């Protein structure tokens, strides 16, 4: 589960805005990871009052979450 803040185009985000499909592939960065980008699958589950998107996240490399601790992802 993740909370996602989509960047506006002026900050490097998509020019078309957040994806509208319920499940989509994306690239993401994570604090504490040595890789510049990770390929993920995002399943949109809703929005929070502050504008964050709530989603289930799947990783294209099943072993990747074992290489980084949850505290590094949440920092």
């Amino acid at each position: 589960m993740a909370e996602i803040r989509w960047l506006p185009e002026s900050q490097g985000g998509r020019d078309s805005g957040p994806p509208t499909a319920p499940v989509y592939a994306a690239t993401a960065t994570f604090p504490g990871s040595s890789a510049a980008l990770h390929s993920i699958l995002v399943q949109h589950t809703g929005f929070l009052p502050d504008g964050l998107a709530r989603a289930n996240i799947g990783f294209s490399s099943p072993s990747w979450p074992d290489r980084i601790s949850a505290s590094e992802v949440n920092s």
Side-chain angles (χ1 to χ4, degrees):
M1 174 73 65
E3 294 174 353
I4 302 170
R5 181 174 312 281
W6 293 97
L7 295 176
E9 182 181 8
S10 63
Q11 295 179 351
R14 297 162 43 112
D15 61 351
S16 60
T20 57
V23 178
Y24 45 90
T27 54
T29 59
F30 293 92
S33 172
S34 60
L37 290 173
H38 296 279
S39 293
I40 61 173
L41 289 176
V42 180
Q43 178 186 21
H44 177 78
T45 60
F47 285 99
L48 298 172
D50 61 1
L52 289 174
R54 181 168 282 159
N56 292 321
I57 303 294
F59 295 90
S60 63
S61 172
S63 64
W64 180 77
D66 294 337
R67 296 193 308 256
I68 186 168
S69 71
S71 63
E72 289 175 309
V73 172
N74 293 323
S75 61

